[in-house]
Amino acid sequence: MKELLRTTDPTRIAFATALLDGEGIAAFEWDVHMSVLEGGLGILPRRLMVADRDYFMARALLRDNDIPERDA
C-alpha cells in the first residue's frame, strides 16, 4: 500500500475516493477514527491509500483533477 493523499479536508477525501472508484481503483481511508483523540477539531490528517500496482494511475487521476497530494 502507498499513501496517495493526506488531508484534513473530508470533502477532498470523498471526492478523490469517488474519482478512484469510478476508474475501478480501490482506495482505503486510514486514520478516520483519530477524531476521537483530537476531539473533533480536524487537526489530524486522514490518509488515502492505494495498492502499489494502482499508485501510478491513481496519482495521475488526482493530478488531472487538480487534487493536491497534501494540504498546503
Side-chain angles (χ1 to χ4, degrees):
M1 302 279 312
K2 289 192 177 186
E3 181 180 312
L4 179 66
L5 176 64
R6 181 183 294 230
T7 184
T8 57
D9 184 355
T11 59
R12 190 176 297 165
I13 292 276
F15 182 53
T17 302
L19 287 172
L20 294 167
D21 189 48
E23 294 295 323
I25 299 172
F28 305 94
E29 192 174 345
W30 284 8
D31 306 321
V32 176
H33 301 291
M34 291 302 290
S35 62
V36 172
L37 297 176
E38 69 179 16
L41 297 174
I43 56 173
L44 294 175
R46 295 180 184 181
R47 295 178 289 167
L48 194 63
M49 310 293 283
V50 295
D52 291 346
R53 69 179 177 276
D54 296 326
Y55 182 73
F56 178 78
M57 288 296 295
R59 203 165 157 217
L61 183 63
L62 292 188
R63 188 176 46 247
D64 290 348
N65 286 280
D66 296 321
I67 301 174
E69 294 179 23
R70 294 187 183 259
D71 286 338

